[in-house]
Amino acid sequence: MYLAISAAAAMCVALAVVQTRNAKRLGADLRVKTVEAESFQLTARTMEERLHTEEAARMQLADRITKVETALRESEDTGCRLRQELQTERRKYKELQAELDSTKDAHDAAISAMWSARNEVDNLGQENCKLTEALNTERETAKHWKEEFHKEQAYRLSTEGRIMREVNNLLRYDGTAHGQEELSDE
């Protein structure tokens, strides 16, 4: 029975070590995912600032196109040159619009990745809480079995003491009650 209790205690200690290792691993994973989430947030902010800059550039280009069209109406001599500049500006506008669209797509993808990383961080936090609860339960169980082990050990030692006193009494027995130790129930 002592061996079974020792084995159970050893299993509880081993399980507690495994749970602690898992909790540390999940904590490290949680820190990595938190860093990734912060990185995604920074990328999203950068993309958002770039989006605003591109939008301002697009607005400036739209203003320039308007001015070019007004100048075209005012002077027929400069009309051809202004048409060429207008076409160039429109191409730039389309290129910037395409770049703005790709920037918006990248921004949306970064936000989506940030949210999925945040959800994963939340899930890891929940797993960490569950593992912490399991670890605390295992610690309580280990403490209980340790107390049981100490009780069993104390009982075994008191039983061995009684047996040794009885053997001692048998060895010193001279036919009288003199010299015999009294056994006390402990």
Side-chain angles (χ1 to χ4, degrees):
M1 181 170 173
Y2 174 75
L3 183 60
I5 291 172
S6 296
M11 286 184 353
C12 289
V13 168
L15 189 56
V17 167
V18 168
Q19 291 294 337
T20 302
R21 191 178 318 130
N22 286 343
K24 286 180 182 178
R25 181 183 52 80
L26 284 174
D29 287 348
L30 180 63
R31 286 189 291 279
V32 167
K33 293 299 180 181
T34 303
V35 168
E36 287 178 4
E38 290 172 356
S39 172
F40 282 126
Q41 281 182 327
L42 181 61
T43 303
R45 281 193 215 111
T46 303
M47 291 293 185
E48 197 170 324
E49 290 172 6
R50 189 171 177 192
L51 180 69
H52 292 306
T53 303
E54 295 294 335
E55 188 68 31
R58 187 185 64 76
M59 296 287 282
Q60 289 176 349
L61 282 175
D63 289 344
R64 283 183 72 185
I65 289 170
T66 305
K67 289 177 184 176
V68 167
E69 288 174 344
T70 304
L72 181 63
R73 278 185 238 113
E74 291 175 359
S75 172
E76 190 62 41
D77 294 339
T78 59
C80 291
R81 185 174 44 101
L82 289 176
R83 275 189 213 103
Q84 291 173 353
E85 187 178 334
L86 178 63
Q87 290 173 356
T88 303
E89 292 298 323
R90 284 187 176 154
R91 265 188 250 118
K92 286 181 183 178
Y93 171 77
K94 287 179 182 177
E95 290 171 0
L96 285 174
Q97 187 65 39
E99 187 176 335
L100 179 63
D101 291 342
S102 68
T103 302
K104 282 182 182 179
D105 293 341
H107 173 69
D108 292 342
I111 286 176
S112 175
M114 178 192 71
W115 281 110
S116 65
R118 182 173 281 169
N119 289 338
E120 192 171 340
V121 165
D122 291 342
N123 291 339
L124 284 173
Q126 290 173 357
E127 279 187 45
N128 189 25
C129 288
K130 289 176 185 176
L131 285 174
T132 302
E133 288 175 14
L135 179 63
N136 289 338
T137 303
E138 290 299 322
R139 284 182 180 158
E140 290 172 8
T141 304
K143 183 178 177 182
H144 169 73
W145 282 112
K146 186 176 180 180
E147 289 172 3
E148 289 296 320
F149 168 74
H150 287 304
K151 287 177 188 176
E152 181 68 25
Q153 189 177 24
Y155 176 74
R156 186 178 54 82
L157 289 174
S158 68
T159 304
E160 287 175 0
R162 278 191 231 132
I163 291 171
M164 289 303 293
R165 279 194 302 268
E166 189 63 34
V167 167
N168 190 22
N169 283 340
L170 288 173
L171 292 175
R172 290 189 306 159
Y173 183 66
D174 61 357
T176 66
H178 181 56
Q180 301 257 329
E181 287 185 32
E182 290 293 323
L183 292 176
S184 64
D185 291 330
E186 293 176 7

PDB file of all heavy atoms in Angstrom, residues 108-139:
ATOM      1  N   ASP A 108      -6.919  45.930 -45.553  1.00  0.00           N
ATOM      2  CA  ASP A 108      -7.985  45.020 -45.123  1.00  0.00           C
ATOM      3  C   ASP A 108      -7.424  43.661 -44.725  1.00  0.00           C
ATOM      4  O   ASP A 108      -7.855  43.066 -43.729  1.00  0.00           O
ATOM      5  CB  ASP A 108      -9.028  44.849 -46.238  1.00  0.00           C
ATOM      6  CG  ASP A 108      -9.821  46.138 -46.482  1.00  0.00           C
ATOM      7  OD1 ASP A 108      -9.801  47.011 -45.592  1.00  0.00           O
ATOM      8  OD2 ASP A 108     -10.428  46.250 -47.565  1.00  0.00           O
ATOM      9  N   ALA A 109      -6.454  43.168 -45.499  1.00  0.00           N
ATOM     10  CA  ALA A 109      -5.834  41.876 -45.160  1.00  0.00           C
ATOM     11  C   ALA A 109      -5.098  41.959 -43.833  1.00  0.00           C
ATOM     12  O   ALA A 109      -5.157  41.028 -43.013  1.00  0.00           O
ATOM     13  CB  ALA A 109      -4.878  41.445 -46.275  1.00  0.00           C
ATOM     14  N   ALA A 110      -4.416  43.077 -43.594  1.00  0.00           N
ATOM     15  CA  ALA A 110      -3.686  43.243 -42.323  1.00  0.00           C
ATOM     16  C   ALA A 110      -4.656  43.296 -41.152  1.00  0.00           C
ATOM     17  O   ALA A 110      -4.405  42.709 -40.096  1.00  0.00           O
ATOM     18  CB  ALA A 110      -2.821  44.504 -42.372  1.00  0.00           C
ATOM     19  N   ILE A 111      -5.779  43.986 -41.334  1.00  0.00           N
ATOM     20  CA  ILE A 111      -6.769  44.055 -40.257  1.00  0.00           C
ATOM     21  C   ILE A 111      -7.359  42.673 -39.996  1.00  0.00           C
ATOM     22  O   ILE A 111      -7.526  42.253 -38.849  1.00  0.00           O
ATOM     23  CB  ILE A 111      -7.867  45.086 -40.601  1.00  0.00           C
ATOM     24  CG1 ILE A 111      -7.302  46.487 -40.443  1.00  0.00           C
ATOM     25  CG2 ILE A 111      -9.086  44.898 -39.716  1.00  0.00           C
ATOM     26  CD1 ILE A 111      -8.241  47.595 -40.839  1.00  0.00           C
ATOM     27  N   SER A 112      -7.645  41.942 -41.080  1.00  0.00           N
ATOM     28  CA  SER A 112      -8.180  40.579 -40.916  1.00  0.00           C
ATOM     29  C   SER A 112      -7.184  39.691 -40.185  1.00  0.00           C
ATOM     30  O   SER A 112      -7.553  38.937 -39.274  1.00  0.00           O
ATOM     31  CB  SER A 112      -8.509  40.000 -42.288  1.00  0.00           C
ATOM     32  OG  SER A 112      -8.924  38.666 -42.170  1.00  0.00           O
ATOM     33  N   ALA A 113      -5.915  39.777 -40.569  1.00  0.00           N
ATOM     34  CA  ALA A 113      -4.880  38.978 -39.898  1.00  0.00           C
ATOM     35  C   ALA A 113      -4.744  39.390 -38.440  1.00  0.00           C
ATOM     36  O   ALA A 113      -4.553  38.543 -37.557  1.00  0.00           O
ATOM     37  CB  ALA A 113      -3.543  39.133 -40.624  1.00  0.00           C
ATOM     38  N   MET A 114      -4.860  40.694 -38.178  1.00  0.00           N
ATOM     39  CA  MET A 114      -4.770  41.166 -36.798  1.00  0.00           C
ATOM     40  C   MET A 114      -5.905  40.582 -35.960  1.00  0.00           C
ATOM     41  O   MET A 114      -5.698  40.125 -34.836  1.00  0.00           O
ATOM     42  CB  MET A 114      -4.826  42.693 -36.753  1.00  0.00           C
ATOM     43  CG  MET A 114      -4.774  43.271 -35.343  1.00  0.00           C
ATOM     44  SD  MET A 114      -5.186  45.012 -35.275  1.00  0.00           S
ATOM     45  CE  MET A 114      -6.929  44.975 -35.620  1.00  0.00           C
ATOM     46  N   TRP A 115      -7.115  40.582 -36.509  1.00  0.00           N
ATOM     47  CA  TRP A 115      -8.252  40.051 -35.754  1.00  0.00           C
ATOM     48  C   TRP A 115      -8.117  38.551 -35.542  1.00  0.00           C
ATOM     49  O   TRP A 115      -8.443  38.043 -34.470  1.00  0.00           O
ATOM     50  CB  TRP A 115      -9.570  40.386 -36.453  1.00  0.00           C
ATOM     51  CG  TRP A 115      -9.984  41.794 -36.179  1.00  0.00           C
ATOM     52  CD1 TRP A 115      -9.998  42.831 -37.052  1.00  0.00           C
ATOM     53  CD2 TRP A 115     -10.392  42.343 -34.920  1.00  0.00           C
ATOM     54  NE1 TRP A 115     -10.398  43.986 -36.435  1.00  0.00           N
ATOM     55  CE2 TRP A 115     -10.652  43.717 -35.118  1.00  0.00           C
ATOM     56  CE3 TRP A 115     -10.573  41.815 -33.656  1.00  0.00           C
ATOM     57  CZ2 TRP A 115     -11.083  44.549 -34.101  1.00  0.00           C
ATOM     58  CZ3 TRP A 115     -11.004  42.656 -32.643  1.00  0.00           C
ATOM     59  CH2 TRP A 115     -11.244  43.999 -32.868  1.00  0.00           C
ATOM     60  N   SER A 116      -7.642  37.835 -36.557  1.00  0.00           N
ATOM     61  CA  SER A 116      -7.480  36.395 -36.351  1.00  0.00           C
ATOM     62  C   SER A 116      -6.394  36.127 -35.321  1.00  0.00           C
ATOM     63  O   SER A 116      -6.531  35.225 -34.484  1.00  0.00           O
ATOM     64  CB  SER A 116      -7.165  35.691 -37.677  1.00  0.00           C
ATOM     65  OG  SER A 116      -5.917  36.110 -38.180  1.00  0.00           O
ATOM     66  N   ALA A 117      -5.326  36.921 -35.346  1.00  0.00           N
ATOM     67  CA  ALA A 117      -4.271  36.755 -34.334  1.00  0.00           C
ATOM     68  C   ALA A 117      -4.803  37.105 -32.950  1.00  0.00           C
ATOM     69  O   ALA A 117      -4.506  36.429 -31.970  1.00  0.00           O
ATOM     70  CB  ALA A 117      -3.066  37.636 -34.675  1.00  0.00           C
ATOM     71  N   ARG A 118      -5.626  38.159 -32.869  1.00  0.00           N
ATOM     72  CA  ARG A 118      -6.202  38.537 -31.581  1.00  0.00           C
ATOM     73  C   ARG A 118      -7.117  37.433 -31.059  1.00  0.00           C
ATOM     74  O   ARG A 118      -7.107  37.120 -29.871  1.00  0.00           O
ATOM     75  CB  ARG A 118      -6.980  39.843 -31.722  1.00  0.00           C
ATOM     76  CG  ARG A 118      -7.571  40.310 -30.389  1.00  0.00           C
ATOM     77  CD  ARG A 118      -8.185  41.666 -30.495  1.00  0.00           C
ATOM     78  NE  ARG A 118      -7.104  42.643 -30.447  1.00  0.00           N
ATOM     79  CZ  ARG A 118      -7.271  43.917 -30.720  1.00  0.00           C
ATOM     80  NH1 ARG A 118      -8.427  44.385 -31.070  1.00  0.00           N
ATOM     81  NH2 ARG A 118      -6.258  44.748 -30.637  1.00  0.00           N
ATOM     82  N   ASN A 119      -7.908  36.839 -31.959  1.00  0.00           N
ATOM     83  CA  ASN A 119      -8.768  35.722 -31.546  1.00  0.00           C
ATOM     84  C   ASN A 119      -7.934  34.542 -31.067  1.00  0.00           C
ATOM     85  O   ASN A 119      -8.281  33.880 -30.082  1.00  0.00           O
ATOM     86  CB  ASN A 119      -9.682  35.298 -32.699  1.00  0.00           C
ATOM     87  CG  ASN A 119     -10.753  36.321 -32.991  1.00  0.00           C
ATOM     88  OD1 ASN A 119     -11.089  37.131 -32.131  1.00  0.00           O
ATOM     89  ND2 ASN A 119     -11.282  36.310 -34.199  1.00  0.00           N
ATOM     90  N   GLU A 120      -6.841  34.286 -31.775  1.00  0.00           N
ATOM     91  CA  GLU A 120      -5.971  33.187 -31.357  1.00  0.00           C
ATOM     92  C   GLU A 120      -5.339  33.468 -30.001  1.00  0.00           C
ATOM     93  O   GLU A 120      -5.226  32.581 -29.151  1.00  0.00           O
ATOM     94  CB  GLU A 120      -4.881  32.966 -32.413  1.00  0.00           C
ATOM     95  CG  GLU A 120      -4.123  31.682 -32.223  1.00  0.00           C
ATOM     96  CD  GLU A 120      -3.211  31.363 -33.389  1.00  0.00           C
ATOM     97  OE1 GLU A 120      -3.427  31.894 -34.484  1.00  0.00           O
ATOM     98  OE2 GLU A 120      -2.285  30.573 -33.180  1.00  0.00           O
ATOM     99  N   VAL A 121      -4.964  34.744 -29.772  1.00  0.00           N
ATOM    100  CA  VAL A 121      -4.411  35.126 -28.469  1.00  0.00           C
ATOM    101  C   VAL A 121      -5.462  34.927 -27.377  1.00  0.00           C
ATOM    102  O   VAL A 121      -5.168  34.414 -26.286  1.00  0.00           O
ATOM    103  CB  VAL A 121      -3.913  36.598 -28.502  1.00  0.00           C
ATOM    104  CG1 VAL A 121      -3.685  37.136 -27.105  1.00  0.00           C
ATOM    105  CG2 VAL A 121      -2.640  36.692 -29.318  1.00  0.00           C
ATOM    106  N   ASP A 122      -6.712  35.310 -27.674  1.00  0.00           N
ATOM    107  CA  ASP A 122      -7.783  35.105 -26.689  1.00  0.00           C
ATOM    108  C   ASP A 122      -7.985  33.624 -26.398  1.00  0.00           C
ATOM    109  O   ASP A 122      -8.154  33.232 -25.239  1.00  0.00           O
ATOM    110  CB  ASP A 122      -9.099  35.723 -27.197  1.00  0.00           C
ATOM    111  CG  ASP A 122      -9.049  37.242 -27.224  1.00  0.00           C
ATOM    112  OD1 ASP A 122      -8.161  37.817 -26.543  1.00  0.00           O
ATOM    113  OD2 ASP A 122      -9.877  37.849 -27.921  1.00  0.00           O
ATOM    114  N   ASN A 123      -7.959  32.804 -27.464  1.00  0.00           N
ATOM    115  CA  ASN A 123      -8.120  31.354 -27.263  1.00  0.00           C
ATOM    116  C   ASN A 123      -6.977  30.784 -26.433  1.00  0.00           C
ATOM    117  O   ASN A 123      -7.188  29.938 -25.550  1.00  0.00           O
ATOM    118  CB  ASN A 123      -8.202  30.633 -28.610  1.00  0.00           C
ATOM    119  CG  ASN A 123      -9.487  30.939 -29.353  1.00  0.00           C
ATOM    120  OD1 ASN A 123     -10.472  31.348 -28.739  1.00  0.00           O
ATOM    121  ND2 ASN A 123      -9.491  30.760 -30.654  1.00  0.00           N
ATOM    122  N   LEU A 124      -5.753  31.258 -26.714  1.00  0.00           N
ATOM    123  CA  LEU A 124      -4.610  30.784 -25.931  1.00  0.00           C
ATOM    124  C   LEU A 124      -4.733  31.228 -24.474  1.00  0.00           C
ATOM    125  O   LEU A 124      -4.363  30.491 -23.558  1.00  0.00           O
ATOM    126  CB  LEU A 124      -3.299  31.302 -26.538  1.00  0.00           C
ATOM    127  CG  LEU A 124      -2.846  30.594 -27.805  1.00  0.00           C
ATOM    128  CD1 LEU A 124      -1.636  31.310 -28.399  1.00  0.00           C
ATOM    129  CD2 LEU A 124      -2.521  29.141 -27.552  1.00  0.00           C
ATOM    130  N   GLY A 125      -5.270  32.412 -24.257  1.00  0.00           N
ATOM    131  CA  GLY A 125      -5.486  32.874 -22.880  1.00  0.00           C
ATOM    132  C   GLY A 125      -6.487  31.999 -22.154  1.00  0.00           C
ATOM    133  O   GLY A 125      -6.302  31.660 -20.978  1.00  0.00           O
ATOM    134  N   GLN A 126      -7.547  31.605 -22.868  1.00  0.00           N
ATOM    135  CA  GLN A 126      -8.540  30.719 -22.253  1.00  0.00           C
ATOM    136  C   GLN A 126      -7.922  29.355 -21.947  1.00  0.00           C
ATOM    137  O   GLN A 126      -8.159  28.777 -20.882  1.00  0.00           O
ATOM    138  CB  GLN A 126      -9.748  30.559 -23.178  1.00  0.00           C
ATOM    139  CG  GLN A 126     -10.578  31.818 -23.298  1.00  0.00           C
ATOM    140  CD  GLN A 126     -11.667  31.694 -24.358  1.00  0.00           C
ATOM    141  OE1 GLN A 126     -11.762  30.685 -25.033  1.00  0.00           O
ATOM    142  NE2 GLN A 126     -12.476  32.730 -24.484  1.00  0.00           N
ATOM    143  N   GLU A 127      -7.113  28.838 -22.900  1.00  0.00           N
ATOM    144  CA  GLU A 127      -6.435  27.556 -22.644  1.00  0.00           C
ATOM    145  C   GLU A 127      -5.493  27.678 -21.454  1.00  0.00           C
ATOM    146  O   GLU A 127      -5.410  26.756 -20.630  1.00  0.00           O
ATOM    147  CB  GLU A 127      -5.633  27.129 -23.877  1.00  0.00           C
ATOM    148  CG  GLU A 127      -6.450  26.469 -24.956  1.00  0.00           C
ATOM    149  CD  GLU A 127      -5.562  25.935 -26.059  1.00  0.00           C
ATOM    150  OE1 GLU A 127      -4.526  25.298 -25.748  1.00  0.00           O
ATOM    151  OE2 GLU A 127      -5.910  26.148 -27.218  1.00  0.00           O
ATOM    152  N   ASN A 128      -4.804  28.817 -21.354  1.00  0.00           N
ATOM    153  CA  ASN A 128      -3.893  29.025 -20.241  1.00  0.00           C
ATOM    154  C   ASN A 128      -4.649  29.013 -18.916  1.00  0.00           C
ATOM    155  O   ASN A 128      -4.187  28.442 -17.933  1.00  0.00           O
ATOM    156  CB  ASN A 128      -3.134  30.345 -20.434  1.00  0.00           C
ATOM    157  CG  ASN A 128      -2.022  30.514 -19.437  1.00  0.00           C
ATOM    158  OD1 ASN A 128      -1.489  29.540 -18.911  1.00  0.00           O
ATOM    159  ND2 ASN A 128      -1.660  31.743 -19.156  1.00  0.00           N
ATOM    160  N   CYS A 129      -5.840  29.646 -18.909  1.00  0.00           N
ATOM    161  CA  CYS A 129      -6.657  29.644 -17.680  1.00  0.00           C
ATOM    162  C   CYS A 129      -7.064  28.222 -17.311  1.00  0.00           C
ATOM    163  O   CYS A 129      -6.997  27.823 -16.141  1.00  0.00           O
ATOM    164  CB  CYS A 129      -7.892  30.520 -17.864  1.00  0.00           C
ATOM    165  SG  CYS A 129      -7.521  32.288 -17.889  1.00  0.00           S
ATOM    166  N   LYS A 130      -7.467  27.452 -18.314  1.00  0.00           N
ATOM    167  CA  LYS A 130      -7.876  26.074 -18.039  1.00  0.00           C
ATOM    168  C   LYS A 130      -6.702  25.262 -17.501  1.00  0.00           C
ATOM    169  O   LYS A 130      -6.856  24.478 -16.563  1.00  0.00           O
ATOM    170  CB  LYS A 130      -8.409  25.414 -19.318  1.00  0.00           C
ATOM    171  CG  LYS A 130      -9.760  25.949 -19.755  1.00  0.00           C
ATOM    172  CD  LYS A 130     -10.197  25.333 -21.075  1.00  0.00           C
ATOM    173  CE  LYS A 130     -11.476  25.960 -21.578  1.00  0.00           C
ATOM    174  NZ  LYS A 130     -11.846  25.433 -22.909  1.00  0.00           N
ATOM    175  N   LEU A 131      -5.537  25.445 -18.124  1.00  0.00           N
ATOM    176  CA  LEU A 131      -4.358  24.708 -17.655  1.00  0.00           C
ATOM    177  C   LEU A 131      -3.950  25.145 -16.250  1.00  0.00           C
ATOM    178  O   LEU A 131      -3.513  24.317 -15.443  1.00  0.00           O
ATOM    179  CB  LEU A 131      -3.197  24.901 -18.630  1.00  0.00           C
ATOM    180  CG  LEU A 131      -3.316  24.115 -19.929  1.00  0.00           C
ATOM    181  CD1 LEU A 131      -2.193  24.495 -20.881  1.00  0.00           C
ATOM    182  CD2 LEU A 131      -3.296  22.620 -19.666  1.00  0.00           C
ATOM    183  N   THR A 132      -4.112  26.428 -15.953  1.00  0.00           N
ATOM    184  CA  THR A 132      -3.794  26.906 -14.609  1.00  0.00           C
ATOM    185  C   THR A 132      -4.736  26.285 -13.593  1.00  0.00           C
ATOM    186  O   THR A 132      -4.305  25.855 -12.513  1.00  0.00           O
ATOM    187  CB  THR A 132      -3.886  28.441 -14.558  1.00  0.00           C
ATOM    188  OG1 THR A 132      -2.981  28.981 -15.528  1.00  0.00           O
ATOM    189  CG2 THR A 132      -3.533  28.958 -13.193  1.00  0.00           C
ATOM    190  N   GLU A 133      -6.012  26.205 -13.950  1.00  0.00           N
ATOM    191  CA  GLU A 133      -6.972  25.565 -13.049  1.00  0.00           C
ATOM    192  C   GLU A 133      -6.617  24.089 -12.858  1.00  0.00           C
ATOM    193  O   GLU A 133      -6.660  23.574 -11.730  1.00  0.00           O
ATOM    194  CB  GLU A 133      -8.391  25.687 -13.621  1.00  0.00           C
ATOM    195  CG  GLU A 133      -8.964  27.080 -13.541  1.00  0.00           C
ATOM    196  CD  GLU A 133     -10.325  27.187 -14.226  1.00  0.00           C
ATOM    197  OE1 GLU A 133     -10.928  26.134 -14.516  1.00  0.00           O
ATOM    198  OE2 GLU A 133     -10.771  28.315 -14.450  1.00  0.00           O
ATOM    199  N   ALA A 134      -6.263  23.408 -13.951  1.00  0.00           N
ATOM    200  CA  ALA A 134      -5.898  21.999 -13.842  1.00  0.00           C
ATOM    201  C   ALA A 134      -4.644  21.831 -12.987  1.00  0.00           C
ATOM    202  O   ALA A 134      -4.553  20.898 -12.167  1.00  0.00           O
ATOM    203  CB  ALA A 134      -5.674  21.405 -15.233  1.00  0.00           C
ATOM    204  N   LEU A 135      -3.696  22.741 -13.150  1.00  0.00           N
ATOM    205  CA  LEU A 135      -2.465  22.680 -12.360  1.00  0.00           C
ATOM    206  C   LEU A 135      -2.773  22.882 -10.881  1.00  0.00           C
ATOM    207  O   LEU A 135      -2.235  22.158 -10.027  1.00  0.00           O
ATOM    208  CB  LEU A 135      -1.482  23.751 -12.851  1.00  0.00           C
ATOM    209  CG  LEU A 135      -0.163  23.836 -12.111  1.00  0.00           C
ATOM    210  CD1 LEU A 135       0.621  22.540 -12.265  1.00  0.00           C
ATOM    211  CD2 LEU A 135       0.649  25.008 -12.630  1.00  0.00           C
ATOM    212  N   ASN A 136      -3.656  23.827 -10.577  1.00  0.00           N
ATOM    213  CA  ASN A 136      -4.022  24.047  -9.175  1.00  0.00           C
ATOM    214  C   ASN A 136      -4.725  22.826  -8.602  1.00  0.00           C
ATOM    215  O   ASN A 136      -4.483  22.442  -7.452  1.00  0.00           O
ATOM    216  CB  ASN A 136      -4.916  25.288  -9.056  1.00  0.00           C
ATOM    217  CG  ASN A 136      -4.144  26.565  -9.295  1.00  0.00           C
ATOM    218  OD1 ASN A 136      -2.917  26.589  -9.145  1.00  0.00           O
ATOM    219  ND2 ASN A 136      -4.821  27.618  -9.691  1.00  0.00           N
ATOM    220  N   THR A 137      -5.582  22.201  -9.392  1.00  0.00           N
ATOM    221  CA  THR A 137      -6.260  20.983  -8.940  1.00  0.00           C
ATOM    222  C   THR A 137      -5.233  19.885  -8.679  1.00  0.00           C
ATOM    223  O   THR A 137      -5.310  19.173  -7.663  1.00  0.00           O
ATOM    224  CB  THR A 137      -7.270  20.518 -10.007  1.00  0.00           C
ATOM    225  OG1 THR A 137      -8.192  21.575 -10.250  1.00  0.00           O
ATOM    226  CG2 THR A 137      -8.008  19.285  -9.549  1.00  0.00           C
ATOM    227  N   GLU A 138      -4.270  19.749  -9.585  1.00  0.00           N
ATOM    228  CA  GLU A 138      -3.230  18.731  -9.405  1.00  0.00           C
ATOM    229  C   GLU A 138      -2.395  19.018  -8.165  1.00  0.00           C
ATOM    230  O   GLU A 138      -2.012  18.091  -7.435  1.00  0.00           O
ATOM    231  CB  GLU A 138      -2.328  18.664 -10.651  1.00  0.00           C
ATOM    232  CG  GLU A 138      -2.997  18.086 -11.867  1.00  0.00           C
ATOM    233  CD  GLU A 138      -3.463  16.666 -11.653  1.00  0.00           C
ATOM    234  OE1 GLU A 138      -2.759  15.898 -10.975  1.00  0.00           O
ATOM    235  OE2 GLU A 138      -4.545  16.322 -12.158  1.00  0.00           O
ATOM    236  N   ARG A 139      -2.124  20.270  -7.896  1.00  0.00           N
ATOM    237  CA  ARG A 139      -1.354  20.620  -6.698  1.00  0.00           C
ATOM    238  C   ARG A 139      -2.124  20.255  -5.430  1.00  0.00           C
ATOM    239  O   ARG A 139      -1.548  19.735  -4.481  1.00  0.00           O
ATOM    240  CB  ARG A 139      -1.031  22.110  -6.688  1.00  0.00           C
ATOM    241  CG  ARG A 139       0.081  22.471  -7.636  1.00  0.00           C
ATOM    242  CD  ARG A 139       0.420  23.933  -7.571  1.00  0.00           C
ATOM    243  NE  ARG A 139       1.491  24.241  -8.498  1.00  0.00           N
ATOM    244  CZ  ARG A 139       1.708  25.444  -8.967  1.00  0.00           C
ATOM    245  NH1 ARG A 139       0.963  26.454  -8.587  1.00  0.00           N
ATOM    246  NH2 ARG A 139       2.694  25.663  -9.798  1.00  0.00           N
TER     247      ARG A 139
END
